[in-house]
């Protein structure tokens, strides 16, 4: 092992020891997302058709006067995208903490990334 390799492994170990729990979780989510072949949410732009993968942080039913919607925030370790299913009050398996992969076209609403009526695959519960 060369001196540079030794320094690099020491730096990685120190980074792991000093990182917060949120930073470690974000890194782990980013690795899992990359393994699925998903695009990091941070790199998604308006109009792109993407596949994103991560963990649902929140799931909220938002009753509207003419059209109900189920909204879920998907976090992949880099950023959050809101998944919106129009006309739905509940979807079995869509719950906070669940991992899933979603595909669809990115839109921007109120300066937030949104995918309307995404195709999705639920990951097995761990």
């Amino acid at each position: 092992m060369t001196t540079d390799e030794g320094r690099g492994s020491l730096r990685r170990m120190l980074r792991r020891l000093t990182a917060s729990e949120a930073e470690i979780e974000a890194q782990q989510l980013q690795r899992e997302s990359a393994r699925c072949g998903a695009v990091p949410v941070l790199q998604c732009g308006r109009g792109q058709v993407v596949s994103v993968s991560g963990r649902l942080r929140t799931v909220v039913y938002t009753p509207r006067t003419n059209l109900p919607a189920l909204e879920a925030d998907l976090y992949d370790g880099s950023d959050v995208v809101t998944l919106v299913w129009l006309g739905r009050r509940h979807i079995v398996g869509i719950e906070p903490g669940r991992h899933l992969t979603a595909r669809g076209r990115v839109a921007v609403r109120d300066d937030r990334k949104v995918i309307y009526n995404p195709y999705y695959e639920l990951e097995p519960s761990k």
Side-chain angles (χ1 to χ4, degrees):
M1 176 169 29
T2 66
T3 306
D4 289 339
E5 289 175 355
R7 287 183 187 153
S9 62
L10 181 60
R11 279 191 198 122
R12 282 191 300 275
M13 184 180 73
L14 287 173
R15 197 173 317 135
R16 275 184 264 157
L17 290 173
T18 59
S20 71
E21 191 173 318
E23 291 170 332
I24 293 169
E25 176 188 12
Q27 291 170 355
Q28 181 181 0
L29 284 170
Q30 288 175 17
R31 281 192 302 273
E32 290 173 5
S33 178
R35 269 196 299 266
C36 292
V39 176
V41 174
L42 190 62
Q43 295 176 8
C44 295
R46 172 185 276 166
Q48 287 182 312
V49 177
V50 298
S51 176
V52 293
S53 182
R55 182 178 329 159
L56 295 177
R57 281 187 162 176
T58 61
V59 177
V60 178
Y61 166 65
T62 53
R64 312 261 173 160
T65 55
N66 56 353
L67 185 66
L70 184 66
E71 298 186 6
D73 286 342
L74 180 78
Y75 178 64
D76 75 342
S78 69
D79 201 1
V80 174
V81 62
T82 302
L83 308 176
V84 179
W85 289 274
L86 299 171
R88 303 296 301 264
R89 288 180 167 79
H90 177 74
I91 299 173
V92 175
I94 301 296
E95 55 196 28
R98 191 70 188 258
H99 287 264
L100 65 83
T101 300
R103 291 178 192 81
R105 186 174 305 275
V106 177
V108 176
R109 179 183 75 186
D110 300 328
D111 294 327
R112 297 189 66 191
K113 295 174 185 174
V114 179
I115 300 176
Y116 290 97
N117 295 321
Y119 295 100
Y120 66 94
E121 296 173 22
L122 296 171
E123 303 296 331
S125 298
K126 294 180 181 179

